[in-house]
Each structure stands twice: as C-alpha cells, then as structure tokens.
Amino acid sequence: MEKKHLSDIEIAQAATIRHINQIAAKLNLNEEDLEHYGKYKAKLPLSLIDQDKIEKSNLILVTAMTPTPAGEGKTTTSIGLTEGLNKIGKKTAAVLREPSLGPVFGIKGGAAGGGYSQVIPMEDINLHFTGDFAAVEKANNLLSALIDNNIQSRTHNLNIDPRTIAWKRVMDMNDRALRQITIGLGGTTNGVPREDGFNITPASEVMAILCMAENFSDLKKRLGNIFIGYTYDKEPVFAKDLKAENAMAILLKDAIKPNLVQTLEGNPAIIHGGPFANIAQGTNTVIATKMGLSLADYVVTEAGFGADLGAEKFLNIKCVSSGLKPKAVVLVATIRALRHHGGAKSEEYNTASAERVEKGFANLSKHIENIQKFGITPVVAINAFPSDTEEEVNLVKEKCKAYGVDAVVAKGWADGGDGMTDLAEAVVSVVESHQNHFKPLYDWNSSIREKIETIAREIYGADVVDFSKKAKLQMMRMEKLGFDKLPICMAKTQKSLSDNEFKYGRPEGFDISVREFEYATGAGFIIPILGQMMRMPGLPAVPASEGMNIDDNGVISGLS
C-alpha cells in the first residue's frame, strides 16, 4: 500500500485485508480451530490455551505518561511494535482491548490504532464487532431486572432494602442524563420506585469479571460473587442469592472467547474485553493475554491511560491474580504531552519549546520511577508527531539516559512496522538481557488503608490520603464482610497524577480524597472513588458523531 497522507479510516479502507484463515496460519492454527464471524474475524476457543507455552513466551506491556485529552498513542504504538517485532523475525501478536462506543462518538475516537499502525477491519472493531459489549450489557442488565423483580415479588422476596442497592444498569454510550434516575414509576404493576442510574458498559463489573476470569467455571463463580446490597436486616446480598450466575454466564458464552483479527501488515491481533482504566482496571482479558502467549513468542499488550492507572492495575491486580509476569514495559511519551505538562495550552501543543519539554519531563520521570518500583526498567517510546523538533527529541533522550532508560523514536503512525524496528530491537534487547524481575507494589493481605496509601504515596506522589466519613464507614463494613484482602482499583482522573485534573506535570505536596467505595467482589477488587469521578461520561459540546457520514453504498467517513 502506497503511503500518503490519508485519514485513519481511508488507510483502513484502502488496506489489503486477508482472510482470517491466513492470519490464523501465522499462529499455526487451522480453519477448524476458528469460530468464524465472516471472512475477517473469528473467535478462538479456550481449549487453545497452553500453560507450558505461556511460561516460555514474552509479555510486553505498553503504557504511557499522563496523557492529553486526545491520548498519546498507546494502541498505535502497541500495534506498530507488533509490526516491528514481526519484521525483525519475532513471532508476535498484539493483544488489545475492544473499543467502547462512548468515546467513538464522543471525543477520543476509536481504539483501533491510527495511521499505518492499525487493526482491521477498523469499522467493525470500533462499532459492534462480535457483540461482546452487547453481551456484557445484557448480562449486567439481566441482574438489574432480577433485583427489581425480587423486590416486587411476594413469594421469592429476599427482603432486599432498595436504598442499599449498589448495582447499576449500563449502556455503551456517553449519556450524562442517565447518571441518576428514578425507576418503578407508574403504579404497582411497574415495580417498586427507587433511585437508580446507568454506568457506561466498560465500567460494568461484568466487564471487569470477563477480563479477570481464567475459564468458564471461574466466570460463573465470579458472577455469583457480585455484591448487590443489603437486606433490611443488614445482611449482604449477592448475585448467587438470586440464582443469577448461570443465566448471566449463558449470555456470555461467546463473549468469553477472544477475537482474532489482523494488523494492516497482516499480523495477528487478539482483541478482547474493554474496561476503562480511570474507572475500572483498564486491561484486556486474562484469557486473551494467555491465548496470545500460547500462540506467539512475543505478546504486546496495553493498559489504559497513564502508568499511574492502567499499568499500576495491570501489575498489582491482573498480574498477581493470573500469575502473569511482563518481561518488558514500553512507556509511551510524546513531545506534545511534554509541552502540555510544561505549561503549553491546547492551541500550543504543536508549537516547539525545549523549555516546556524540559519542564514537562517531570511527569515522564515520575512514570519512569514508578515502573522501576515494580522491578522493571522501561523503554521509553517517543511517539513521533510532525511538530517534534530534533532539539526536543534529543533533550528527552538525554534526560531518560540519566535514569538508565533508553528512549527510542517510534514512527509507527507514519511508517508502520518499518518505523518501529528500532523500538523492537530495544525491547528484544531488554527481554533477552533478563534484567527485569517483576514484583508487585503491595501485599494484598495489607489493610485497605495501607494499600490505598501505598498507591497514593508511591505512584501518585501524594502526602496524605483523606477518607470521608462515608468512606471510613464503608471500610469498616468491608472488613466485616471479608473484602479487606482484595486488591485496590482506584477510580481517579486520568488527566493528572493527583485527583485534581488541573494539577499537571509532577504535583508535589498534595493530598488525595477518597469520597466513597464501590465493591467489585465478583471481579475481585475494591474501588475507591477519588474526587469527582463519574462512571457514566457525558458527550463534549461538539461530539465526534457530528463529523461522521455513511453514503448510499454503506461507505463510512469520519470514524477514527
């Protein structure tokens, strides 16, 4: 494909897309191993997971510095690195999250990469794909319906106190009007009136459970362990008390299987699960990661937003739960994000300023230090933009060198795999040196307060953690229920290392505030809500949907 300046969707539409059987053959799979979803997508059965092969393969995590609103290109870098590794002769698969429709039609766009580092069929992946998100949504909302049906029932009533129900409905769209609603209106036949609300589907605990489950029996067990609320006698109620887990698992019988697609250069990409990293754990499924490691020698995966969110949760929650150990971490930085953290306003992101880059490096340096605390020395990938200057790039390289870290320019967006071989060589060098020895930051058996304070001080750089009266009461309840030995999944703004989205760079001398907790006992973690985090986003003043079009032949434009 001739490389010229085209939009992401034009590049994807112009690409030579191969039959999924050809992609599967690169993983030594036959047609019979696949469950086809048309010519270019397939589900992979769980029987392909091979624990012995997993132990021998190499897991590479891609994360980033604190991003600008548009993101710094983790997915693009992950896909480009996959192309680069294959170009230097390493059998590699990308293992990524599925996009949510909320950002697609909102502000951030899709999550299929960009430029010449994309996964295809891009339109399908960014829209309904193989129906996994719809299945998660239906399973979540089935439980909601069963809860309200039980409250209404006179014969099977569990005595649930509607005021204590923690479970919310979900929808995969940004819709702030649904954050807080009243249901059950219109008379006795329409249910018992109560307050409710919607979260976006990536924030559903069902999504988190899908991403943490090791197999189908584990999935059912986790679904049954979902905490719903309390009875009037203050006894906890779980989904298994409603006998909900089997019906929910039936709705997820296909969604539990990872999806196989391809990169622009015809390399394998496994895409599965899609929790956000600011309000959930921000990683793809354990099953997909293990599937990739079973079928390829190198797996490139990513964790959402900055390393203070996705990477921290990947390492402290996903890796500890599943036994996975990354051999290398790639930390994505951009000159524009460094300018941002150095004081540039949005209209100045593309204006060269070595002074701002040097000041903004404080943010990147904190993320480097954070990854090193896990026993891993990262490789910094400078995701290239046309406005970057040689002076700024060299400055970043020199400052990274002072931390004992290599910084490599990544040109995957402009040049695909050809622009990523330097980064690929650097990553392979780290993997083959065996210098990294992963260790989690905290012990799950520590107290809830200790775990939160460890993350706040070591990762965010906070001085003090303040707990609201409500949060303190909830911690006492969690200890009584035995939830206190679960890991911590912080819900925090992605725009700052702190819980204040306007504190850029590397904030110091700040406190963070835990407003309240949510319990994800099925997924297996506790969620402290920091600041004013919302689990249902809203649309921006000018949503991305306004720039989209579909013609009479079904050709889409404006989707990215």
Side-chain angles (χ1 to χ4, degrees):
M1 181 171 55
E2 182 186 353
K3 293 182 179 177
K4 52 187 178 180
H5 186 68
L6 301 170
S7 69
D8 289 349
I9 192 167
E10 288 170 332
I11 292 170
Q13 290 168 342
T16 300
I17 189 165
R18 299 150 181 87
H19 195 285
I20 197 64
N21 291 350
Q22 293 177 261
I23 307 305
K26 292 192 171 188
L27 298 172
N28 300 323
L29 298 177
N30 300 314
E31 182 178 353
E32 297 75 27
D33 294 319
L34 308 179
E35 296 178 18
H36 290 83
Y37 278 63
K39 296 179 180 179
Y40 310 119
K41 299 170 288 184
K43 287 279 186 181
L44 296 170
L46 273 55
S47 58
L48 295 173
I49 294 176
D50 181 343
Q51 190 61 41
D52 290 338
K53 178 63 168 63
I54 291 169
E55 299 293 333
K56 298 172 186 174
S57 296
N58 303 296
L59 179 60
I60 301 158
L61 172 65
V62 177
T63 182
M65 63 182 294
T66 305
T68 61
E72 305 320 307
K74 283 188 310 299
T75 306
T76 300
T77 301
S78 299
I79 297 164
L81 178 56
T82 300
E83 311 282 42
L85 285 164
N86 277 291
K87 277 193 175 292
I88 66 171
K90 303 298 180 183
K91 183 181 178 183
T92 306
V95 180
L96 308 169
R97 289 175 296 161
E98 299 178 48
S100 163
L101 290 175
V104 168
F105 293 101
I107 189 171
K108 199 167 183 290
Y116 291 93
S117 290
Q118 294 189 52
V119 283
I120 50 176
M122 184 262 266
E123 296 164 34
D124 290 4
I125 294 166
N126 275 333
L127 297 175
H128 302 293
F129 201 22
T130 57
D132 294 348
F133 268 57
V136 167
E137 189 175 292
K138 298 300 184 293
N140 184 107
N141 294 343
L142 169 62
L143 181 55
S144 292
L146 291 171
I147 292 167
D148 286 302
N149 184 62
N150 188 269
I151 294 171
Q152 173 84 344
S153 174
R154 294 183 178 180
T155 56
H156 291 84
N157 193 294
L158 291 175
N159 200 33
I160 299 171
D161 183 349
R163 298 168 299 178
T164 69
I165 293 171
W167 191 253
K168 291 188 176 183
R169 289 165 164 85
V170 298
M171 182 176 71
D172 193 33
M173 197 60 62
N174 291 4
D175 192 347
R176 60 173 59 84
L178 295 177
R179 288 173 183 160
Q180 206 163 359
I181 61 174
T182 303
I183 61 172
L185 302 179
T188 57
T189 60
N190 289 352
V192 176
R194 68 178 182 89
E195 287 190 17
D196 196 10
F198 276 76
N199 290 334
I200 192 166
T201 303
S204 167
E205 187 178 351
V206 177
M207 179 67 80
I209 287 170
L210 181 70
C211 290
M212 294 299 293
E214 297 270 358
N215 48 50
F216 212 79
S217 60
D218 188 34
L219 177 77
K220 288 199 294 183
K221 180 181 178 181
R222 289 174 181 271
L223 289 169
N225 287 337
I226 292 172
F227 173 78
I228 291 169
Y230 292 93
T231 66
Y232 282 105
D233 299 320
K234 294 184 171 49
E235 293 296 321
V237 182
F238 299 90
K240 58 191 172 188
D241 297 322
L242 289 168
K243 300 181 175 63
E245 66 269 35
N246 277 291
M248 294 171 73
I250 287 168
L251 288 170
L252 298 169
K253 71 180 183 67
D254 294 316
I256 196 173
K257 301 169 188 173
N259 307 292
L260 178 65
V261 289
Q262 62 192 283
T263 66
L264 285 177
E265 297 180 16
N267 291 308
I270 298 172
I271 300 182
H272 199 214
F276 292 160
N278 55 348
I279 52 179
Q281 78 265 44
T283 67
N284 59 62
T285 67
V286 168
I287 288 172
T289 304
K290 290 191 171 183
M291 183 70 73
L293 292 167
S294 299
L295 301 174
D297 297 331
Y298 282 75
V299 162
V300 180
T301 191
E302 51 81 43
F305 293 120
D308 56 315
L309 289 167
E312 183 272 312
K313 296 168 185 180
F314 182 96
L315 297 167
N316 279 324
I317 300 176
K318 179 174 179 175
C319 287
V320 176
S321 175
S322 64
L324 294 167
K325 295 181 180 179
K327 303 283 183 66
V329 171
V330 174
L331 184 56
V332 179
T334 62
I335 298 299
R336 64 199 298 275
L338 292 165
R339 293 173 188 150
H340 162 71
H341 286 287
K345 297 177 182 177
S346 57
E347 62 271 18
E348 299 172 317
Y349 287 172
N350 294 322
T351 302
S353 172
E355 181 182 352
R356 282 174 171 161
V357 168
E358 183 162 16
K359 183 179 177 183
F361 185 83
N363 181 269
L364 178 57
S365 70
K366 176 58 176 163
H367 289 291
I368 291 171
E369 291 170 17
N370 286 347
I371 297 300
Q372 290 172 334
K373 290 175 182 179
F374 290 94
I376 299 171
T377 298
V379 176
V380 170
I382 305 172
N383 187 24
F385 279 74
S387 64
D388 299 352
T389 66
E390 187 176 353
E391 180 187 10
E392 291 169 309
V393 170
N394 288 337
L395 176 61
V396 174
K397 288 182 177 180
E398 286 300 316
K399 293 185 80 67
C400 285
K401 193 176 294 183
Y403 283 84
V405 170
D406 288 332
V408 182
V409 176
K411 297 182 179 179
W413 185 89
D415 298 325
D418 289 335
M420 299 295 284
T421 54
D422 288 347
L423 180 62
E425 295 282 6
V427 168
V428 170
S429 177
V430 168
V431 170
E432 293 182 347
S433 73
H434 305 288
Q435 68 184 39
N436 290 331
H437 302 284
F438 165 69
K439 59 181 180 181
L441 188 65
Y442 60 79
D443 184 344
W444 285 16
N445 290 318
S446 299
S447 71
I448 295 171
R449 181 185 288 270
E450 286 173 335
K451 287 179 283 198
I452 292 171
E453 288 177 344
T454 296
I455 295 169
R457 289 174 178 153
E458 296 295 328
I459 301 298
Y460 307 157
D463 286 345
V464 176
V465 181
D466 293 321
F467 293 88
S468 70
K469 188 178 293 186
K470 181 178 182 180
K472 290 176 182 177
L473 179 62
Q474 288 176 315
M475 280 197 291
M476 291 173 59
R477 287 177 180 164
M478 285 187 282
E479 288 170 3
K480 289 180 181 178
L481 291 168
F483 299 165
D484 55 318
K485 303 309 178 188
L486 296 175
I488 302 298
C489 183
M490 296 283 215
K492 181 185 80 70
T493 179
Q494 73 275 16
K495 297 178 182 179
S496 171
L497 283 162
S498 73
D499 61 357
N500 180 342
E501 64 179 72
F502 299 108
K503 289 184 181 291
Y504 302 138
R506 182 175 183 163
E508 294 180 344
F510 66 92
D511 301 345
I512 66 164
S513 301
V514 178
R515 190 179 84 234
E516 60 182 322
F517 288 90
E518 292 191 8
Y519 316 146
T521 52
F525 49 73
I526 298 164
I527 307 170
I529 310 294
L530 306 189
Q532 300 301 313
M533 285 301 299
M534 298 289 184
R535 289 165 66 84
M536 168 57 88
L539 289 169
V542 182
S545 57
E546 293 188 12
M548 297 178 185
N549 184 58
I550 183 167
D551 68 17
D552 291 344
N553 296 315
V555 177
I556 297 172
S557 59
L559 181 70
S560 64

